[in-house]
Amino acid sequence: MFEIFKIIWELFVAREYVRKGQLTLRKTLISTGLVLLGYLILVPASVLYQNHPEYKPLFIAAMVLAGIDFLFLFGLGIYWWRQTLVRQS
């Protein structure tokens, strides 16, 4: 029950950021896509490795790709945050 309240609250907060101009549809789509890409890489690789440990190199390669995806998303978030700070000042 608490999770539903949390999701509703996050949507309300996102609405505030949209009104302030800090969150756009482009940013939302890009960040959601990168997060989904991370899940689409790691979850199947983890399940495959759990059931078939002989595919360890594939699991390591998936972890590297997910790490690159995370670093790109993190860097993009910092870039967008700095842009917002510059626009506010």
Side-chain angles (χ1 to χ4, degrees), residues 8 10 16 29-30 36 43-44 49 66 69-71 83-84 89:
I8 292 170
E10 287 176 1
E16 290 293 318
L29 291 176
I30 290 172
L36 284 175
V43 172
Y49 178 66
D69 178 48
F70 172 76
L71 290 174
Q83 276 186 335
T84 303
S89 61

Side-chain angles (χ1 to χ4, degrees), residues 1-14:
M1 182 66 185
F2 180 72
E3 292 297 322
I4 293 172
F5 176 72
K6 184 179 172 187
I7 290 171
I8 292 170
W9 178 253
E10 287 176 1
L11 288 174
F12 177 73
V13 172

Side-chain angles (χ1 to χ4, degrees), residues 22-40:
Q22 295 176 342
L23 184 64
T24 62
L25 181 62
R26 179 177 164 255
K27 289 179 183 179
T28 304
L29 291 176
I30 290 172
S31 58
T32 303
L34 288 171
V35 169
L36 284 175
L37 180 65
Y39 279 112
L40 290 174

Side-chain angles (χ1 to χ4, degrees), residues 14-75:
R15 184 175 166 217
E16 290 293 318
Y17 284 122
V18 168
R19 191 164 23 131
K20 292 178 184 176
Q22 295 176 342
L23 184 64
T24 62
L25 181 62
R26 179 177 164 255
K27 289 179 183 179
T28 304
L29 291 176
I30 290 172
S31 58
T32 303
L34 288 171
V35 169
L36 284 175
L37 180 65
Y39 279 112
L40 290 174
I41 291 172
L42 278 181
V43 172
S46 299
V47 171
L48 180 67
Y49 178 66
Q50 184 177 8
N51 294 331
H52 303 283
E54 64 269 11
Y55 289 116
K56 187 175 184 176
L58 181 64
F59 177 68
I60 292 172
M63 287 189 63
V64 168
L65 281 174
I68 292 169
D69 178 48
F70 172 76
L71 290 174
F72 182 72
L73 181 62
F74 186 75

